[in-house]
Structures are given as C-alpha cells and as structure tokens.
Amino acid sequence: MKTEFSTPHSTKRRFRVLKEFLIKAFLFICAASSVLVTVGVVWTLVVEALPFFDDVSLSQFLFDREWTPLFENAQYGIMTLVCGTLLTTVIALLVAIPLGTITAVFLSEYSSEKMREIFKPILELLAAIPTVVYGYFAMLFVTPLLQKIIPGISSFNALSAGLVMGVMIIPYISSLSEDAMRAVPLHLREGSLALGASKFQTSFRVILPAAFSGVASAYILGISRALGETMVVAIAAGLQPRLSFNPLESTQTITAFIVQVSLGDLPQGSIGYRSIYVSGLVLLIFTLVFNLIGQLIRSNMEKKFK
Amino acid sequence: MNRKAEVKNLNFSYSHSALVLKSVSLPIFENKITALIGPSGCGKTTLLRCFNRMHDLYGNVKYDGSILLLPDQVNILSTDIDPIEVRMKIGMVFQKPNPFPKSIYENIAYGLRIRGIKKKSYIDEKVEDSLKMAGLWQEVSDRLHTGANSLSGGQQQRLCIARALATEPDILLLDEPTSALDPISTAHIEELVASLKKKVTILMVTHNLHQAARTADYTAFMYLGELIEFGESSQIFTNPKEQKTENYITGRFG
Amino acid sequence: MIVALVILLSLIIDMAMTGMPRISSHFFTSFPSRFPERAGILSAWVGSFCVVLVTALMAIPLGIASGIYLEEYAPKNIFTKIIEINILNLAGIPSITFGLMALGIFVYRFGLGQTIITAGMTLGLLVLPIIIVTTREAIRTIPSHIREASYSLGATKWQTIWNHILPYSSGGIMTGVVIALSRAIGETAPLITVGALTFIAFLPTAPVSDIAPYLSMKWLTDPYTVMPIQMFNWVSRPQEEFHINAAAAGLVLLTMTLLLNAVAIYIRYRFRKKYKW
C-alpha cells in the first residue's frame, strides 16, 4: 500500500493531471455555453430585426399611431403594442403587489415554521400551472364573470387578462419579498416590539421598510415577468393594437402580436417575419433593463445585511 | 529515538498577506504523540494542515521552508510533490466528526477504493481491523451496512479515526478531535489515541491542556505563529523554560 | 394568500366541471378532429412526451455540469461573474424570445425545420437556468467538512465530486430537474413561434422497428404538436364545443404538472430527512 512519491513527469501523475484538467475544461465549456445562449438570443433578435428599418423609418416606428404591419396600408407604430403591454402589466401589478406583499408579510412574520412548510409549496404550485391554462381561465371564467359585473365590457379585454396575470405572478413577488423580510435582523424586530409596537406595526413600519430594497427588487422582477407573459394575453386580451389605456376594451401586447403572426405562414425575410423580431427586441430590452435594475437593488441589499 | 518527520524553518502565508507561521522548526518522533498547544489563532491548526497540504484546496498559499518525511528526506511541501500523494500517506481526523452519509462499511472502505483496491475479502478484512483498532468493532459489527449518521457523536469520531487508519498512514493528524464531544466520549478517544501510537505516529492539535499533558509524549507551544517551546510533555507542563509558556499553561492568558 | 388559493381552487373546479365529461379513453387515443366530440389528444401527449425527452437529454447534463463548474471549480474572477449574471438574466428573459431565437437559428440557420428536435432544444435552453440554479443550491448545502474528509483520504477533486458531492446533492438536483421538466411540459409560447403545427393527425415515427437497423432516430425530425398547443388551439376556436375539449386537455395538463410538482416536493422532503448536516 505504501506509495512512493512520484515526480511531476511520471506517466501516472501526468495522466491524473490531464484527466482532472479535461473534466474541468468540459465543465467550463458547459457553463460558458449559457453565455452562448444569451448571445444567441440577442444576436438573432438584432440581426433579424435590423433589416426592418430598411423599410420603415425610426420616426414611423416610434410615432405612427397604429400597428398594422400585415395590412395593405401598413403602419408601424410600436407604441400601440407597448401601450397594450404596459396596460396589462399595470393591471397585473395592481393585483400582484398588494396580494404578494401581504402574503410575504404573513409568511415571514405571522406564520410558524410548520405553516410556512405547508403554504410555500402550495404557493409555488401557482407558478407551476401552465400559462395556457391561465389563459383559458381568463377568457372562459373571469371574462364572463366581469361581463356580469360591468356590462358592455368587450369579450376580449385587458382587464381580465391583467387580473389573471396578477394572480400568476403573486408567487414570484411573495417568495422573493419573504426572503428579503426574513433577512432583516432579529434585533430590529425585537427593538420595535420592546418599544410596545404591535406585531402589525412592526411588520409594516419596521420590517417592510428595512427590507425595502429586497421587496422592491421582487416587484421589479414581477414587472419583467408580466411584460414577457404571453399566453394569457394572447388568449384573453384580444388582437387589436390600440393606443388607449381603457382596460375594458381589447388590446394587443407585444407578445400577443408575436403569437398572432407566428400562427400564420411566415416566410423568412418577409416584413411580418421582421416585425416579430423587432417587437421581440423591444420586449427583450424592456425586460433586460428591469432585470438588471432588480439584480442591482438585490445585490445592494445583500451587501447591506452581511 | 527515531524521527518520522522534521519541520524546518517553515513560513506559511495565504496569498500575499502576512505570515501565519514564522520560521517554525520541530521534530516529529516515530510512534509518539506530539501535541500542538496555544491560544486560538496561534497557528497550530494551520501548521497541522500543512502536513497534508490541506491549504492547497483553497487556492493561493505560499509555503516556504520544508517538512521532511523521514527516512527518505522527501520535502512534502515541495511543488514537485503531488498533494494527493501526501494525503495518501498522512491521514487526518477533524474537529467535528464528519463521516460520509454512507454506511459504516463504506466509510472505511472509501480510502481503499480510491487507492484502486477492489478485492472484497481484503477490504472486509481491513474494515474489521480498523474498526477493532478504533475500538468500535464490538459496537457495530452487526450493523456494518447501516448509515454512519445513526452513530453517536463519540462513535462517529472513532469511525473517522478508523477511516483514517484503514489506509495505514505514516502519520495521523488529529485536529482537536474531542472538542465537539462529551466528557465520556472524550475519555474514550483519549484512551484510543494513547493505544494507537504503537502503530502510527500522531500529531494532535488540542485546546485542552490537560488532554495534552495526559496523552502526549511531546508538546509544542505556539504563540502568534511562532514555535515558542518544544519538549517532552512532562517538562513543558512542570518546568517550562520560557516565560510565555509558563504564563499560558498557568492560565494567565489564552 | 387565501385569496390566491381560493382562485386556484375555483379555477381547477371550474375546469374539472367543464372538462370532465370529455375525458374518456377515447380522448387519449384519438387524433384531433374537426368534430369536437370525436377529437382527442393522442398526437398531443405523444408529442409532449417526445419533446420533453429531447429537452431532458439536453438540459439535464448541460445544467448539472454548469452547476458543478460554478460551485466547485469557478475561480472568483470577472469571467465567472459574467456567467453568473448571464444565467440570472437568462432566467428572466421572456420565454417567447427563446422561441424567436430558435426560429432564427434552429429552424432557418440550421435548417432543422419545425420538428421535435427543434422544439426539444428550444425548451431545453429555456429550462437550463432552472437546473443550473437548483444544482448550485443543492451543492451549496453540503458542508465543507465533508469535502475535506474526502480530500484528506487522498481523493482527487473529481473523485470527491463524483463519489460525494453529486450523490449527496442528488435530491436537490432531482427536484430541480422535475420542476424544469414540468415547466417544459406546460410551455406554449416559444413553440408557437417555432411553428408548432396545430393540426397533427399522425404520430412521430416509432423509434423501434422490425426491419434493420431496428432503431430509428427519424422521430426527431418529425412534425409534432404538444398538449398546451393543442389546448391553445381549442381555446381560440369560437365554438363552445371546442372549449370543452380545451378544458379537458387543460385538466390533463394541469394534473401532469401538479403531479410532477408533488413529486418534486416529495423528493425534497425525503432527501432532507436522509441528509441532515
């Protein structure tokens, strides 16, 4: 069993070093390939979208008041799609931020370890449901319900899509917010309670502000989810791009437009093909900006509590 | 008295920061127990972990000087020496018992398996021998294939000792092996360590002065990265030559 | 909290009530049809299965390997930081943009067309970040003293990873894999952009045949449809009758994803009990 020490040039040693090196190199290539994917996404979108501007001027793109790239008399006002996207996102946030925050406060401050163990997985199930199922739900359950409450609401409308999307992103917001609140040091909590503050006051006046940056980053990641959500809006919000913020009418988001065009025949290089890439690029820029802001705030928070 | 290893003018530092060990020299005698004592942060664990090149796992470290393994006079700190081969010859037991979450049998067999030993009868025999040496055989012989995590803390630590012994190391390093254990388990381990020196040379870090006095043949007192005094335990604990050593063992600091 | 759960429940009940009558063995063994009561999801569930198989083959090895590299090997430098930020962002990119990339690269540049392999690879890239992140989290729970125990016996880095790190983190990794695959099963948008056909009344080529060479990979390059696409197709028809089909398909889809998630929770629970550090 006694092994004598080998020299660096012995075959055995070289073989071992080589084997470990090859493994490391292989793993590195795998990890680096994820960068390749991102580069692939950005590069494809840019390359396929750029020729769009051979036919359409930037001012048309930004200031046309309609988006009808597939019609005879084509107009290219991306703002109509952006408007639809923002509208559904705002409605979703109006649902998800209050509910998500309250859920997070409840999980972090009010529930026992056991309750958390039960509730968290259930909440995560909300995020696991396929989005097409949510779309079904918005169109065939929520919309008829809304039609009873608000007569005259269109059978495709931004409101119902937004509401359902809101429910969908609750778990994203609540789970990240809860992490942030639980990271607040115990002594802050005890300090507040020792001064005679109630649990409710402590939660909302001490914990929530202290965890603000973490909670804010949760909101921002929620926004970027809502911006990129596709199936719910494609099914329930309708297909008419509109430069209006009326939630009762139908509208069209960037993602829904991409779906609509993709469903048809799509020759490479046609204006329809270019238009989905250009709108996809706009969407990507929006979400990337929000993601980066969210991560920045988050890493600041991590520094603060370390 | 045979020397098993010899530390010569050892300086050690992490990347480019200050020296953690300053010009340490001491002999390690064969089939004896040598204890390293000193206040926390004195570098005793750092010195111990030089012996199996554990520091190499954490990136940039700088060894200066040598640890010679006798009788071959191989400097195990040399960059030409593969740390993995060093660890094959020098076993280690840690502060906290850290058995693998596998069966008792597999814990001990692992060291043999990574040395390429496949013969089942040989492994069986080795598992039994090491468990007997570690005084654990009677307690576990009927449940070798149950999880090691089901053992008590003291048993787990003896299992870790058995695991290190199975590969017949030249030197066994013990890093405060009883600091996480209750007094009864501690007594067991101390007895065990005393009985092991017939087979293996032992280098042990301990916080517990009484433990060093009871079990070690030689004791080295370290302070701020330097070796202050080295000698037979009886001399160090009854008649220290250095003022600092005396202050420490009489409890004036540390 | 409770609101969310009530909504979830009402959704499931509503869909179950509408879709239940349509669920029969006929529904699982028939192709889609112009007549709602004759239509079934045979091609859809077979397609889903094939696509997810490709996704798994691609994303699982790639994801676990990346996770191991980032946790065990990656030096602390700017390049590692770039990879980490990149993975976080990849997880945040809207799924439909993956579809646009796949349309540009897989369908047109590589000429793979609108096939199972295109769809599988698209979803594979989409769920890759989930597997990477959960692999890293699972590896991170293993205390360093276990690694040191392995190294102290003379194990190499790879031996330590292969014999200890991977087995002890396999619970967490498997949880991540199951969640990733359940996400892939339910994902619709990127497949629409790569042109998943919605009317497929045939199955992919069988992988095994009785003529030499017996094994065929042709199914990879066959057209396909998948469960969520089939459901989307039925939802967007104006006829009420098709909505019942949609509900039934939704019910099947929902059951599959909820089941997978339950499996994931169970695995997490079991392994947490098995390895207590």
Side-chain angles (χ1 to χ4, degrees):
Chain A
M1 175 146 353
K2 299 284 174 205
T3 44
E4 288 316 311
F5 289 109
S6 62
T7 61
H9 303 293
S10 68
T11 329
K12 192 178 122 204
R13 179 105 158 252
R14 276 188 168 166
F15 180 72
R16 179 155 69 213
V17 170
L18 181 72
K19 186 181 158 199
E20 291 283 320
F21 173 78
L22 287 178
I23 289 169
K24 183 175 172 175
F26 170 76
L27 295 174
F28 172 76
I29 290 169
C30 288
S33 69
S34 73
V35 177
L36 217 64
V37 177
T38 315
V39 172
V41 169
V42 176
W43 181 76
T44 325
L45 289 189
V46 171
V47 165
E48 302 284 354
L50 276 185
F52 179 84
F53 292 103
D54 295 346
D55 301 329
V56 181
S57 74
L58 197 63
S59 75
Q60 271 178 299
F61 185 60
L62 290 178
F63 301 117
D64 271 8
R65 300 186 61 82
E66 272 182 79
W67 172 262
T68 51
L70 301 177
F71 291 4
E72 289 270 306
N73 180 16
Q75 297 227 33
Y76 302 99
I78 188 73
M79 283 305 158
T80 50
L81 290 184
V82 171
C83 178
T85 306
L86 290 182
L87 177 61
T88 50
T89 300
V90 167
I91 297 170
L93 292 178
L94 288 178
V95 175
I97 287 185
L99 286 181
T101 313
I102 293 170
T103 307
V105 170
F106 172 77
L107 284 176
S108 142
E109 304 300 314
Y110 284 86
S111 60
S112 63
E113 194 62 43
K114 259 221 161 97
M115 273 163 89
R116 223 188 336 255
E117 292 264 308
I118 298 169
F119 278 120
K120 267 201 111 163
I122 295 180
L123 208 61
E124 275 158 22
L125 284 185
L126 273 181
I129 294 175
T131 53
V132 63
V133 172
Y134 277 111
Y136 167 93
F137 183 53
M139 185 169 104
L140 296 174
F141 186 82
V142 177
T143 302
L145 209 68
L146 288 174
Q147 277 170 330
K148 279 183 200 139
I149 306 168
I150 316 168
I153 191 170
S154 156
S155 60
F156 293 103
N157 60 76
L159 184 60
S160 124
L163 289 177
V164 170
M165 231 157 74
V167 173
M168 215 179 84
I169 56 178
I170 288 175
Y172 292 101
I173 290 188
S174 69
S175 122
L176 284 176
S177 306
E178 190 217 331
D179 290 347
M181 286 193 243
R182 291 229 279 164
V184 173
L186 196 64
H187 62 82
L188 269 181
R189 216 159 278 156
E190 287 173 342
S192 165
L193 291 171
L195 288 173
S198 69
K199 202 157 189 179
F200 182 81
Q201 287 168 321
T202 306
S203 304
F204 283 90
R205 299 220 186 135
V206 178
I207 307 296
L208 206 52
F212 175 75
S213 51
V215 175
S217 82
Y219 293 167
I220 287 169
L221 294 180
I223 295 175
S224 101
R225 280 275 149 196
L227 288 174
E229 169 45 36
T230 309
M231 295 319 291
V232 176
V233 284
I235 292 173
L239 300 171
Q240 277 103 42
R242 232 188 265 269
L243 203 56
S244 120
F245 280 104
N246 183 350
L248 305 180
E249 286 179 341
S250 77
T251 182
Q252 186 170 43
T253 64
I254 295 177
T255 50
F257 169 74
I258 298 174
V259 167
Q260 185 200 2
V261 175
S262 306
L263 284 174
D265 198 23
L266 200 64
Q268 191 187 15
S270 65
I271 190 73
Y273 180 82
R274 299 281 177 230
S275 70
I276 59 171
Y277 278 95
V278 89
S279 41
L281 188 60
V282 171
L283 178 67
L284 183 69
I285 292 169
F286 266 104
T287 48
L288 276 186
V289 167
F290 276 109
N291 279 336
L292 283 175
I293 296 173
Q295 281 158 23
L296 224 67
I297 297 177
R298 207 172 154 71
S299 65
N300 271 347
M301 172 193 83
E302 272 159 16
K303 265 182 220 147
K304 197 165 106 192
F305 283 126
K306 233 163 211 178
Chain B
M1 197 93 53
N2 268 332
R3 291 181 175 199
K4 187 73 195 173
E6 175 101 48
V7 182
K8 275 188 175 164
N9 294 320
L10 175 60
N11 292 308
F12 174 83
S13 62
Y14 296 102
S15 56
H16 299 291
S17 42
L19 288 180
V20 187
L21 295 177
K22 296 168 203 161
S23 184
V24 173
S25 299
L26 85 156
I28 307 292
F29 293 108
E30 190 164 20
N31 291 3
K32 299 286 175 201
I33 300 173
T34 305
L36 298 173
I37 61 169
S40 12
C42 70
K44 55 192 191 300
T45 297
T46 309
L47 175 59
L48 189 80
R49 289 162 76 96
C50 287
F51 275 83
N52 65 348
R53 302 273 298 265
M54 219 51 177
H55 300 296
D56 292 41
L57 294 176
Y58 302 99
N60 269 336
V61 289
K62 194 162 168 263
Y63 302 102
D64 197 17
S66 55
I67 296 179
L68 298 179
L69 216 52
L70 302 174
D72 300 332
Q73 302 260 2
V74 181
N75 175 16
I76 56 174
L77 298 181
S78 152
T79 45
D80 282 352
I81 296 291
D82 188 346
I84 287 164
E85 290 174 13
V86 175
R87 293 179 204 132
M88 294 239 174
K89 284 175 162 281
I90 298 180
M92 183 164 184
V93 174
F94 297 80
Q95 228 174 25
K96 219 181 126 204
N98 56 357
F100 301 126
K102 298 179 184 251
S103 71
I104 294 169
Y105 181 94
E106 277 306 320
N107 261 279
I108 298 174
Y110 185 68
L112 303 167
R113 293 195 199 283
I114 55 176
R115 282 162 177 76
I117 295 163
K118 296 199 178 79
K119 213 170 139 201
K120 184 160 186 309
S121 59
Y122 180 79
I123 296 179
D124 284 348
E125 193 185 312
K126 267 289 166 194
V127 168
E128 184 174 341
D129 284 355
S130 346
L131 282 172
K132 277 182 177 157
M133 260 197 274
L136 200 57
W137 177 250
Q138 287 195 334
E139 289 156 70
V140 302
S141 61
D142 55 340
R143 48 174 177 147
L144 287 177
H145 296 283
T146 55
N149 285 342
S150 66
L151 300 175
S152 73
Q155 288 174 322
Q156 286 188 7
Q157 194 63 306
R158 277 183 281 156
L159 177 65
C160 292
I161 293 175
R163 180 173 70 186
L165 290 173
T167 55
E168 295 176 13
D170 289 4
I171 301 177
L172 182 62
L173 309 173
L174 306 175
D175 184 5
E176 300 192 35
T178 60
S179 66
L181 301 180
D182 62 85
I184 296 174
S185 309
T186 301
H188 271 284
I189 301 273
E190 279 183 20
E191 267 171 50
L192 167 62
V193 169
S195 73
L196 285 178
K197 68 175 175 184
K198 278 174 251 139
K199 311 237 173 184
V200 61
T201 306
I202 292 174
L203 181 60
M204 171 170 79
V205 164
T206 179
H207 246 100
N208 181 338
L209 296 182
H210 298 290
Q211 184 170 66
R214 277 193 302 264
T215 51
D217 302 298
Y218 293 88
T219 296
F221 170 61
M222 293 182 67
Y223 183 59
L224 297 178
E226 286 176 69
L227 181 77
I228 305 294
E229 191 171 350
F230 172 81
E232 291 191 22
S233 299
S234 50
Q235 174 253 312
I236 294 275
F237 284 102
T238 54
N239 187 19
K241 294 196 185 87
E242 299 287 328
Q243 187 61 41
K244 276 183 194 149
T245 316
E246 190 179 341
N247 289 348
Y248 181 70
I249 59 174
T250 52
R252 250 168 261 172
F253 72 95
Chain C
M1 170 85 225
I2 307 295
V3 178
L5 294 182
V6 169
I7 292 171
L8 176 64
L9 267 182
S10 59
L11 157 66
I12 294 173
I13 292 169
D14 171 62
M15 206 157 71
M17 298 229 304
T18 322
M20 216 46 193
R22 191 65 97 219
I23 293 191
S24 63
S25 62
H26 177 81
F27 189 66
F28 289 97
T29 54
S30 304
F31 290 112
S33 153
R34 279 187 295 127
F35 308 102
E37 55 295 349
R38 273 197 233 156
I41 52 169
L42 177 60
S43 49
W45 71 258
V46 173
S48 271
F49 180 79
C50 295
V51 168
V52 168
L53 191 67
V54 175
T55 302
L57 289 178
M58 170 171 189
I60 294 174
L62 206 55
I64 295 178
S66 308
I68 294 174
Y69 177 80
L70 290 173
E71 243 1 84
E72 296 289 324
Y73 287 90
K76 273 206 160 156
N77 61 21
I78 216 162
F79 198 78
T80 306
K81 197 82 199 152
I82 290 175
I83 296 182
E84 287 182 335
I85 291 177
N86 173 67
I87 287 167
L88 280 177
N89 275 306
L90 208 53
I93 291 180
S95 60
I96 197 159
T97 47
F98 279 91
L100 290 176
M101 174 195 73
L103 178 67
I105 294 186
F106 297 152
V107 175
Y108 288 121
R109 200 164 295 272
F110 294 171
L112 290 174
Q114 294 155 357
T115 55
I116 288 177
I117 190 162
T118 303
M121 290 195 325
T122 309
L123 295 183
L125 297 182
L126 182 72
V127 300
L128 186 61
I130 303 179
I131 299 183
I132 296 178
V133 169
T134 44
T135 300
R136 293 188 67 182
E137 276 168 6
I139 290 178
R140 219 174 296 152
T141 58
I142 297 171
S144 62
H145 60 73
I146 292 290
R147 277 162 242 249
E148 291 197 341
S150 170
Y151 286 122
S152 78
L153 289 168
T156 62
K157 185 154 197 155
W158 181 244
Q159 282 171 332
T160 302
I161 292 171
W162 187 251
N163 298 330
H164 302 288
I165 308 288
L166 277 181
Y168 309 154
S169 59
S170 57
I173 296 176
M174 264 153 59
T175 309
V177 164
V178 173
I179 286 176
L181 295 186
S182 107
R183 170 96 192 272
I185 286 181
E187 195 59 61
T188 325
L191 297 187
I192 293 180
T193 52
V194 294
L197 292 178
T198 43
F199 189 84
I200 296 278
F202 50 84
L203 292 179
T205 320
V208 201
S209 65
D210 44 7
I211 4 168
Y214 307 111
L215 275 177
S216 153
M217 284 290 131
K218 191 179 171 304
W219 59 276
L220 282 172
T221 51
D222 282 338
Y224 65 99
T225 187
V226 291
M227 291 286 300
I229 298 266
Q230 187 62 59
M231 180 178 171
F232 173 64
N233 177 254
W234 280 331
V235 170
S236 34
R237 302 264 182 118
Q239 302 95 323
E240 196 86 11
E241 278 287 284
F242 275 110
H243 293 166
I244 300 176
N245 287 27
L251 207 56
V252 176
L253 194 56
L254 198 61
T255 315
M256 283 193 326
T257 46
L258 293 189
L259 252 158
L260 280 177
N261 277 272
V263 168
I265 292 169
Y266 175 72
I267 295 174
R268 188 158 50 186
Y269 172 78
R270 273 240 359 232
F271 271 79
R272 210 183 278 165
K273 266 175 82 175
K274 189 167 166 195
Y275 297 124
K276 273 200 184 123
W277 305 112

